[in-house]
Amino acid sequence: MKDSLEFEFHNPQTFLKMDGSGSFLMQCQKQIGHLRHYKRVCYSTLVPSDEVTINYRHGLPVITIMLPSRKERCQFTVKPMLTTVGTFLQDIQKEDKGIEKAEIFTNDGSKISTKTLVEILLMNDFKLVINDMTYSVRVPIKDKLSSEHATEMEDVKSLVQRLFTALHLEDHQIKRERELLLKLDHLKEQLIPFEQMKAGITKSADAKTSRLLWTGLALMSTQGGALAWFTWWVYSWDIMEPVTYFITYGSAMAFYAYFVLTKQDYVYPDAKDRQFLHYFYRKSKSQYFDVEQYNKLKEDLAEAEESLRRLRQPLHLRLPIQEIHDKD
């Protein structure tokens, strides 16, 4: 008796071969030269479906797999609502160190994400790929729960969730509050040298801005006095009137040029702030003051303070308003 049977197809490049153990071996051949000469280029093994079985025990699915390296069957009990496909595949690889690749596909060849819950996976049949072996897994039909039983299960789940929240919420809030307080202390320590340097730069920029404003007032007073002197003591109004007209027109052109350059109206408070920032950034550059790092630390500090304030709200802590104020 021959140890193997060969099934030829009309396509001379592919045939199936069955060995003595009953497993089918698909061999792909590439034609080279004459039609009678072929070269084998790839193969894959199709394993019978009984290598991987699924049974339900005490309401939980038990997946039995034949480990390829150890040549022994191993049972994996999974929790469908908690275990993901990625966790299940990692457990298989931990059990057999000889497994280099483990993936799960649907019957149509689509790969199933590792984030998918096992509860979703067990809704349909699937294929388990371990190294070069492909296992066709059939999911047994599970008895559906009655509507009353399903409602009771949902109530139990909701009750467990509320109990977990009641038991761990306070500890979580206390832990979160400590983390925020530590973060605030760390940010404030980092801001101390920045604040000291910023105070000196701000003082210098404010002084220069004030000097510029007083200089502008002095120039305007000098201009008014000169025009009055030329009008009443040196020349007459007939001569000085065109001069004052062109001075006014020149001032209007200067204000319009300011708008063209800055895209802002010439308003005295805005002009003062703009000049202050100009002096501030120039001084910061000369003293190597990192403005971007300072702004980032201030934003992180404000965000941490807002998170701490929201965490300490009475609705979150379930405490009276007075206790919250005393705690602050």
Side-chain angles (χ1 to χ4, degrees):
M1 180 181 294
K2 294 183 179 180
D3 294 336
S4 63
L5 296 176
E6 296 184 358
F7 300 88
E8 295 185 359
F9 295 89
H10 294 290
N11 183 2
Q13 296 182 355
T14 305
F15 69 90
L16 287 177
K17 181 179 181 182
M18 185 176 68
D19 56 15
S21 62
S23 298
F24 283 94
L25 184 65
M26 180 179 292
Q27 297 183 345
C28 304
Q29 296 183 339
K30 181 178 179 182
Q31 177 180 347
I32 55 174
H34 197 269
L35 291 175
R36 297 179 180 180
H37 299 87
Y38 300 96
K39 180 180 180 181
R40 185 177 304 170
V41 295
C42 63
Y43 72 91
S44 64
T45 304
L46 303 177
V47 182
S49 59
D50 57 356
E51 295 288 343
V52 180
T53 59
I54 300 178
N55 298 310
Y56 284 91
R57 185 180 302 167
H58 304 294
L60 296 177
V62 179
I63 304 176
T64 304
I65 300 176
M66 177 66 72
L67 300 178
S69 298
R70 296 165 51 178
K71 300 300 180 181
E72 60 183 9
R73 302 178 71 85
C74 183
Q75 293 183 345
F76 298 88
T77 303
V78 297
K79 298 178 180 179
M81 293 183 294
L82 299 178
T83 307
T84 61
V85 172
T87 305
F88 171 61
L89 295 177
Q90 289 177 1
D91 293 339
I92 297 176
Q93 290 178 320
K94 290 179 182 178
E95 193 66 28
D96 191 344
K97 302 299 183 181
I99 297 177
E100 298 179 356
K101 182 183 69 173
E103 296 175 330
I104 294 179
F105 297 85
T106 59
N107 286 332
D108 59 0
S110 301
K111 184 177 179 180
I112 298 178
S113 172
T114 56
K115 301 297 183 181
T116 305
L117 292 176
V118 175
E119 182 180 15
I120 306 298
L121 174 66
L122 297 180
M123 289 183 177
N124 299 296
D125 298 342
F126 58 91
K127 293 182 180 179
L128 175 63
V129 178
I130 298 179
N131 293 338
D132 295 331
M133 309 289 289
T134 301
Y135 299 90
S136 180
V137 184
R138 295 185 177 275
V139 179
I141 300 176
K142 187 178 180 182
D143 296 336
K144 295 184 179 180
L145 299 176
S146 62
S147 59
E148 296 181 357
H149 195 186
T151 304
E152 292 178 358
M153 289 296 294
E154 292 297 331
D155 294 340
V156 171
K157 292 179 183 179
S158 178
L159 179 60
V160 171
Q161 184 178 5
R162 290 199 299 269
L163 289 174
F164 179 83
T165 302
L167 293 175
H168 297 84
L169 179 61
E170 185 177 357
D171 296 338
H172 172 73
Q173 288 183 336
I174 293 175
K175 181 180 178 181
R176 179 59 177 166
E177 183 180 4
R178 290 176 179 174
E179 292 177 355
L180 289 174
L181 291 175
L182 291 175
K183 184 177 181 180
L184 285 174
D185 294 338
H186 181 65
L187 290 174
K188 289 179 180 178
E189 290 179 359
Q190 288 183 311
L191 280 171
I192 289 177
F194 284 94
E195 293 290 353
Q196 293 175 352
M197 187 178 296
K198 176 178 173 291
I201 296 174
T202 301
K203 184 177 180 181
S204 176
D206 189 65
K208 289 184 177 180
T209 304
S210 298
R211 285 198 298 268
L212 181 63
L213 294 177
W214 284 106
T215 302
L217 178 61
L219 291 176
M220 292 178 66
S221 301
T222 303
Q223 179 184 356
L227 291 176
W229 184 67
F230 281 115
T231 301
W232 281 289
W233 281 277
V234 179
Y235 304 109
S236 63
W237 175 245
D238 294 336
I239 297 176
M240 295 302 299
E241 182 178 7
V243 176
T244 56
Y245 169 79
F246 283 108
I247 291 176
T248 305
Y249 184 76
S251 301
M253 289 182 61
F255 295 151
Y256 184 75
Y258 177 86
F259 171 76
V260 171
L261 295 175
T262 64
K263 303 299 184 293
Q264 295 178 351
D265 294 335
Y266 187 80
V267 182
Y268 291 117
D270 295 342
K272 175 181 177 297
D273 294 339
R274 186 179 183 84
Q275 195 62 36
F276 171 82
L277 291 176
H278 173 72
Y279 287 135
F280 182 86
Y281 277 95
R282 190 170 65 179
K283 189 72 172 179
S284 300
K285 186 176 181 180
S286 63
Q287 294 191 5
Y288 302 100
F289 178 76
D290 194 346
V291 179
E292 294 182 358
Q293 180 67 16
Y294 174 78
N295 291 334
K296 184 178 183 303
L297 291 175
K298 294 291 287 186
E299 291 176 358
D300 294 342
L301 181 64
E303 182 180 354
E305 290 177 347
E306 177 64 18
S307 300
L308 184 62
R309 185 189 66 81
R310 295 177 59 185
L311 184 66
R312 289 177 172 178
Q313 286 181 358
L315 294 179
H316 290 175
L317 292 178
R318 295 181 177 85
L319 295 176
I321 299 293
Q322 185 62 34
E323 295 189 21
I324 290 294
H325 293 332
D326 295 342
K327 187 176 181 180
D328 292 338

